[in-house]
Amino acid sequence: MSLNLKSLISVLNAKCEGLENDVFIDHISIDSRSLQNGSQTLFFALTGVNNDAHLFIPDLIEKGVQNFVVHYIPKELPGKANFLVVENTLDALQEFAAYYRNLFHFPIIGLTGSNGKTIVKEWLNFLLSPDYNIIRSPKSYNSQVGVPLSVIAINEKHNLGIFEAGISTVNEMAKLEKIIKPNIGVLTNIGSAHDEGFLNLVQKIDEKLLLFKDCPVIIYQKTEVVDSCLTQFAAEYMMHPRKLFSWSFTDKSADVFILKKESKNDHTNIQYQYQNETFALEIPFSDSASIENAISCLLVLLHFKYDQTTIQNRIEMLYPVRMRLEVKNGINNCSIIDDSYSSDFQSLKIALDFLESQTKKNASKTVILSDIFQSGFSNEELYSKVAQLIVDNKINRVIGIGATISSFAAKFPNSQMFQNTAAFIQSIESLNFQNETILIKGARSFEFEEIVSLLEEKTHETVLEINLDAISHNFNYFKSKLAPNVKMMVMVKAFGYGNGGLEIAKLLEHHKVDYLGVAFADEGISLKNGGIKLPIMVLNPESTSFPSIIQYQLEPEIYSIKGLNAFLKIAREKKLKDFPIHIKIDTGMHRLGFEENTIEELIETLKGNSTVRVQSILSHLATSDDPKHYDFVNKQIALFEKLSSRLMNELNINPIRHILNTSGISNFPDSQYNMVRLGIGLYGVSNDPAEQKYLENVGTLKSIISQVRNIPAGDSVGYGRRFMANKETKIATIPIGYADGISRLWGNEVGFVNIKNQKAPIVGSVCMDMLMVNVSEIDCKEGDPVIIFGESPTVIEMAEALKTIPYEIMTSISQRVKRVFFR
């Protein structure tokens, strides 16, 4: 991309300020934190309910960015950069992407549906890449922002595009259709995702079909409801002759009819009828979702007129799609970012931004990178661009693997090159990996999973997977409930509610939250040592920790006269001035805090004191999640208003005030004051079933089957013989137990695990390191994955069965369980 900025003024219907000479741009950005921003970047300052990228423009100008698309020009910045002023910056980004798309005239495949979009996109890329130079959406970039960013990556060397479009409600797809303008449409599985955004299934299908408004070919699974919607759609949009290319398991009138389907050993053999001929096809999967996705790919290949031999040879090589970046603990105090199944230029840019957000304090950054395929650039241009990315992202060491990248070694500072993965593995010990954050990014053919295995810290096979995108989603959900300028404190105490403190804190810092909250000083110290720069409030400081709190610039909650005097004594000894403290008022929780009869003494102690500054006044609601006690909550809020106002008036201060916790944010929106505290909601749990459906699951506890055995009727399982088989029973043993945090009360057929989307009841007592489940009705084997909790069972289900709360389930997971973070 190289575009004259002046040429975009009419495209964006913008007013221009500051632009005098010709300026050329080669990079579009919406992320102020990206190290890839530079002098030829055009930055779109997007705004949302609680986000305004205009606030970061001064920092960007300092870093050399000179070109901005804005809704308004921030004060004191006119004349300091080039500004294109528009009505709405998101609309402008989409208009720019639509303009850019129309500069190219090769075929575009557009995908939409509820499920399977990303998998079908990646599989089509694999199936068609031997014959085309493909540009595709990176990762799952299918949103109102993701689609324009995907399309903007097109260059002159591409000759086929594959883009996915995702929507969550009405009036969204028309904008994406203008940007993608597909020539071939693929409608994947229509499921329940985003049902809440539509009146009914028909409305959802109608909205998705708008992607294909001008599309000559639509590929889809033939069903009565989809056919009905397509009939109406065709009547409304008769722009030109349109081909409907359908498939079905049940309807013989479909263009491709699946005559037979047999699954065995994780493979499925199908027979299908097409143009009055019958063909056989082996699909290397047995689950229904993968089979449907493979059939969608089959129809695309048939549309492209591939012969049956080529179709079979390529489809039998399909592979599980990794749609995420994973953060894992590595050897020698390293962190591993595992992106070992893809290597293209766009996803490299995304991975490098993620690397920056996850790098520990003082850790060096290393990239292990294979040859890059399908960039659309010549090798010379491609590796020049990659080398510049490496420099821009301040990468300390590059390890290239592959003949092509090795031939451009001179372009990369501090690099080591290997012809293949085997050569790298032979030299791995001499490379001395330690105290590094290592991005491992390679094309599938390089088998970089072997490198991940060698560099990953060895732990047992039970892991807690943390979805960082789900945390971002939940954070933004609650932030959208806040009035403008209300600050957000997020609680990361108790090891991030069992999910991992530092990694989540880094993500929250990336989101520019205002405060982090921890329970004890050592939690805050750990975050500071990990490089966190956000203000951190310590909610339960012990007086013995005050020197450390001061040393690490933490901010203590003060809840008693005794504690205040102890802190003031140390503060005077250290000759502090205006050190921030937070005053806790007890409004009825009766746990910690100044009660009403101690406010007078508190005021007298603080009056005229210059060693500390009251940064905030807070209290805590006892029953904000229980409608039966809302009257009590209102009394708490009224008392907080009274006592905090008195403190402010008599001390002549204007601190932050905050009383709302997660359920308070949702249930008492009129009491947000200057800040709210988000806790369990960030981790995907709400006490309100209506709200729960808007939150995403964050933590999934996984293990595997260690052993499967059949026991006869009359035999028992586990300690105390608490399970007695009344018939021959198939038992699977899972390597997780109460030492990992699974309550013994969850055993003896109270609880279950999930194997192949089926419930497997826990039988007998939960042991220290393992538990046993009944898998008599499940086709499973040793090594198969097991979900202990996540989507099913949820921590809410477990808590209800155990008569406890989700907090306890989550925070009980032992530190010996490895945490894997992914996006």
Side-chain angles (χ1 to χ4, degrees):
M1 174 191 298
S2 181
L3 297 173
N4 190 319
L5 190 59
K6 285 185 177 179
S7 70
L8 300 181
I9 295 173
S10 59
V11 172
L12 303 181
N13 193 25
K15 294 179 180 178
C16 181
E17 293 200 22
L19 183 62
E20 297 178 359
N21 302 316
D22 283 343
V23 173
F24 288 88
I25 58 160
D26 65 7
H27 177 57
I28 303 297
S29 177
I30 61 168
D31 187 351
S32 63
R33 300 157 297 196
S34 175
L35 296 180
Q36 296 159 33
N37 296 323
S39 60
Q40 290 187 289
T41 293
L42 178 60
F43 183 85
F44 284 76
L46 302 185
T47 59
V49 177
N50 284 282
N51 295 294
D52 186 354
H54 295 74
L55 302 176
F56 309 125
I57 291 177
D59 292 339
L60 286 163
I61 291 175
E62 281 190 22
K63 294 173 181 176
V65 180
Q66 280 291 298
N67 311 300
F68 299 90
V69 177
V70 297
H71 173 58
Y72 65 91
I73 302 176
K75 291 179 181 179
E76 302 179 0
L77 292 185
K80 294 188 177 181
N82 302 317
F83 293 100
L84 302 186
V85 184
V86 298
E87 286 292 320
N88 181 292
T89 49
L90 176 57
D91 288 346
L93 176 66
Q94 294 173 339
E95 288 294 336
F96 171 77
Y99 160 78
Y100 189 74
R101 158 68 179 93
N102 286 328
L103 298 178
F104 302 90
H105 304 289
F106 52 77
I108 298 287
I109 300 174
L111 299 121
T112 192
S114 302
N115 308 299
K117 296 184 294 293
T118 302
I119 292 171
V120 172
K121 177 199 68 186
E122 292 298 321
W123 283 355
L124 286 176
N125 174 69
F126 168 76
L127 294 166
L128 298 171
S129 60
D131 310 304
Y132 295 91
N133 197 354
I134 298 172
I135 176 69
R136 70 191 191 279
S137 310
K139 304 297 180 184
S140 297
Y141 271 41
N142 59 28
S143 66
Q144 298 291 310
V145 174
V147 168
L149 293 178
S150 300
V151 168
I152 289 165
I154 297 174
N155 67 47
E156 293 76 8
K157 300 291 179 63
H158 294 124
N159 57 15
L160 179 66
I162 309 174
F163 299 109
E164 54 178 300
I167 56 170
S168 56
T169 188
V170 295
N171 302 320
E172 290 185 343
M173 188 60 87
K175 296 179 180 179
L176 302 186
E177 188 276 335
K178 286 175 59 180
I179 300 168
I180 297 175
K181 282 289 179 190
N183 313 100
I184 302 164
V186 179
L187 184 67
T188 65
N189 177 273
I190 299 294
S192 60
H194 300 298
D195 272 356
E196 65 275 5
F198 302 94
L199 294 176
N200 50 46
L201 179 62
V202 169
Q203 186 186 55
K204 179 159 69 171
I205 295 172
D206 287 344
E207 180 73 14
K208 290 182 181 295
L209 288 177
L210 290 177
L211 178 62
F212 312 137
K213 182 168 70 73
D214 294 324
C215 196
V217 179
I218 301 176
I219 292 170
Y220 71 103
Q221 182 178 6
K222 189 176 182 65
T223 66
E224 184 176 340
V225 65
V226 173
D227 275 343
S228 174
C229 291
L230 278 169
T231 299
Q232 180 64 33
F233 177 76
E236 190 168 353
Y237 296 102
M238 290 295 290
M239 307 296 293
H240 45 64
R242 194 190 308 275
K243 177 182 178 182
L244 300 181
F245 193 23
S246 63
W247 68 270
S248 177
F249 290 116
T250 57
D251 189 337
K252 293 183 178 180
S253 68
D255 297 290
V256 175
F257 178 60
I258 312 301
L259 292 164
K260 193 175 181 182
K261 181 180 73 170
E262 292 180 341
S263 295
K264 186 177 181 181
N265 296 330
D266 295 328
H267 280 236
T268 301
N269 292 306
I270 67 170
Q271 287 184 359
Y272 66 93
Q273 198 169 59
Y274 173 56
Q275 294 182 341
N276 298 317
E277 290 190 65
T278 300
F279 304 95
L281 182 67
E282 183 176 341
I283 299 171
F285 299 94
S286 59
D287 63 287
S288 58
S290 295
I291 294 167
E292 287 188 14
N293 293 332
I295 294 172
S296 292
C297 293
L298 166 66
L299 265 70
V300 173
L301 295 180
L302 291 172
H303 172 72
F304 276 78
K305 302 190 183 305
Y306 280 88
D307 63 84
Q308 293 301 315
T309 300
T310 303
I311 290 173
Q312 178 59 75
N313 289 342
R314 293 187 185 179
I315 282 188
E316 70 183 12
M317 295 172 64
L318 290 179
Y319 53 89
V321 174
R322 292 274 295 277
M323 292 185 290
R324 62 198 202 183
L325 292 156
E326 291 186 345
V327 182
K328 304 173 180 179
N329 291 330
I331 61 173
N332 303 327
N333 198 35
C334 290
S335 291
I336 307 296
I337 298 178
D338 181 2
D339 196 12
S340 57
Y341 285 84
S342 69
S343 181
D344 60 86
F345 187 65
Q346 282 305 108
S347 66
L348 174 62
K349 295 167 73 172
I350 296 168
L352 287 170
D353 278 340
F354 186 58
L355 168 66
E356 178 63 24
S357 73
Q358 288 296 313
T359 298
K360 297 177 181 177
K361 182 181 179 182
N362 299 325
S364 62
K365 293 183 287 187
T366 295
V367 174
I368 301 175
L369 183 64
S370 79
D371 289 346
I372 295 175
F373 302 129
Q374 293 182 303
S375 68
F377 304 112
S378 67
N379 283 339
E380 176 70 30
E381 188 178 5
L382 169 63
Y383 289 101
S384 295
K385 288 178 175 290
V386 172
Q388 189 59 52
L389 280 179
I390 295 297
V391 171
D392 291 344
N393 283 272
K394 300 178 173 61
I395 303 302
N396 301 93
R397 175 164 61 155
V398 177
I399 296 172
I401 300 177
T404 307
I405 193 172
S406 295
S407 68
F408 291 95
K411 293 183 179 292
F412 295 91
N414 194 23
S415 65
Q416 293 166 278
M417 298 291 168
F418 299 88
Q419 288 293 308
N420 51 53
T421 303
F424 167 83
I425 290 173
Q426 285 182 344
S427 303
I428 196 166
E429 291 187 12
S430 66
L431 294 171
N432 193 28
F433 291 104
Q434 56 183 329
N435 301 314
E436 299 169 67
T437 304
I438 306 168
L439 170 62
I440 301 175
K441 184 161 186 60
R444 287 188 67 253
S445 58
F446 284 86
E447 299 180 338
F448 271 17
E449 62 270 21
E450 293 184 39
I451 297 176
V452 173
S453 178
L454 290 169
L455 293 180
E456 188 178 3
E457 184 181 59
K458 299 301 180 284
T459 54
H460 73 111
E461 292 167 299
T462 296
V463 298
L464 180 60
E465 293 187 343
I466 311 300
N467 185 340
L468 296 176
D469 284 338
I471 289 179
S472 295
H473 169 88
N474 297 337
F475 170 79
N476 288 323
Y477 170 78
F478 284 101
K479 193 172 182 181
S480 71
K481 293 176 173 286
L482 303 186
N485 302 317
V486 173
K487 299 179 184 296
M488 177 85 84
M489 175 186 286
V490 179
M491 310 309 296
V492 291
K493 61 183 180 177
F495 194 53
Y497 288 57
N499 293 287
L502 178 60
E503 290 80 5
I504 291 173
K506 282 184 175 294
L507 178 64
L508 295 170
E509 191 165 55
H510 205 57
H511 282 295
K512 298 188 182 297
V513 302
D514 300 285
Y515 262 91
L516 297 178
V518 298
F520 300 105
D522 58 350
E523 295 176 319
I525 292 168
S526 177
L527 295 180
K528 288 290 186 180
N529 284 335
I532 299 299
K533 296 179 176 62
L534 289 174
I536 299 174
M537 177 178 159
V538 182
L539 282 82
N540 305 328
E542 298 154 322
S543 58
T544 55
S545 69
F546 286 159
S548 296
I549 284 175
I550 293 169
Q551 177 185 349
Y552 286 90
Q553 294 294 295
L554 305 173
E555 301 180 17
E557 174 189 288
I558 303 296
Y559 49 81
S560 69
I561 292 295
K562 180 182 177 182
L564 176 59
N565 286 330
F567 190 81
L568 289 174
K569 180 176 182 295
I570 295 173
R572 293 188 193 103
E573 291 172 355
K574 293 184 178 292
K575 298 180 180 178
L576 300 181
K577 185 171 178 60
D578 290 334
F579 194 93
I581 63 172
H582 301 259
I583 299 298
K584 175 74 169 285
I585 297 174
D586 181 4
T587 56
M589 182 79 160
H590 295 330
R591 192 170 62 177
L592 293 174
F594 290 93
E595 295 182 287
E596 187 170 8
N597 60 10
T598 63
I599 296 298
E600 184 69 38
E601 187 177 1
L602 171 63
I603 292 170
E604 290 303 316
T605 305
L606 288 174
K607 194 171 284 186
N609 194 303
S610 62
T611 58
V612 297
R613 177 184 77 254
V614 178
Q615 181 74 1
S616 82
I617 304 172
L618 68 146
S619 189
H620 193 60
L621 299 177
T623 59
S624 60
D625 59 347
D626 189 346
K628 297 195 301 292
H629 295 291
Y630 280 179
D631 286 345
F632 183 75
V633 175
N634 288 321
K635 289 177 182 177
Q636 281 194 272
I637 293 170
L639 183 57
F640 178 69
E641 173 65 29
K642 173 185 173 183
L643 298 183
S644 61
S645 296
R646 182 182 173 191
L647 281 172
M648 293 166 64
N649 292 333
E650 297 200 29
L651 294 174
N652 193 27
I653 58 175
N654 187 29
I656 299 167
R657 289 192 287 176
H658 48 114
I659 191 171
L660 298 186
N661 52 7
T662 294
S663 50
I665 294 171
S666 298
N667 298 330
F668 295 89
D670 294 334
S671 299
Q672 293 177 359
Y673 287 97
N674 314 100
M675 187 161 74
V676 298
R677 302 188 301 273
L678 177 61
I680 193 73
L682 181 77
Y683 305 99
V685 176
S686 172
N687 67 292
D688 181 357
E691 181 175 75
Q692 183 64 47
K693 67 182 181 181
Y694 293 104
L695 301 181
E696 293 186 359
N697 178 66
V698 169
T700 301
L701 183 58
K702 290 184 173 181
S703 193
I704 64 165
I705 296 176
S706 294
Q707 189 175 34
V708 177
R709 59 162 54 82
N710 289 294
I711 64 171
D715 273 19
S716 62
V717 174
Y719 288 116
R721 306 192 74 198
R722 296 192 177 182
F723 174 81
M724 302 291 293
N726 57 18
K727 60 181 180 180
E728 183 175 335
T729 306
K730 184 164 70 169
I731 300 293
T733 301
I734 319 297
I736 184 171
Y738 59 77
D740 300 293
I742 306 303
S743 171
R744 293 184 78 246
L745 298 175
W746 190 234
N748 296 315
E749 299 181 277
V750 172
F752 65 93
V753 301
N754 190 310
I755 300 174
K756 294 193 170 182
N757 294 317
Q758 299 177 69
K759 290 184 178 181
I762 299 172
V763 295
S765 298
V766 174
C767 308
M768 179 181 288
D769 308 303
M770 62 194 76
L771 53 82
M772 289 69 72
V773 298
N774 186 340
V775 291
S776 299
E777 305 302 320
I778 302 174
D779 180 17
C780 60
K781 61 184 183 301
E782 293 170 5
D784 280 349
V786 178
I787 293 182
I788 311 301
F789 65 65
E791 297 286 354
S792 176
T794 66
V795 292
I796 296 174
E797 288 177 285
M798 293 178 70
E800 289 174 350
L802 298 176
K803 295 181 171 52
T804 183
I805 56 177
Y807 300 73
E808 183 176 354
I809 306 294
M810 297 164 65
T811 58
S812 295
I813 302 306
S814 167
Q815 295 281 342
R816 80 175 184 176
V817 173
K818 178 174 66 174
R819 270 69 174 175
V820 173
F821 301 86
F822 69 90
R823 291 185 71 174

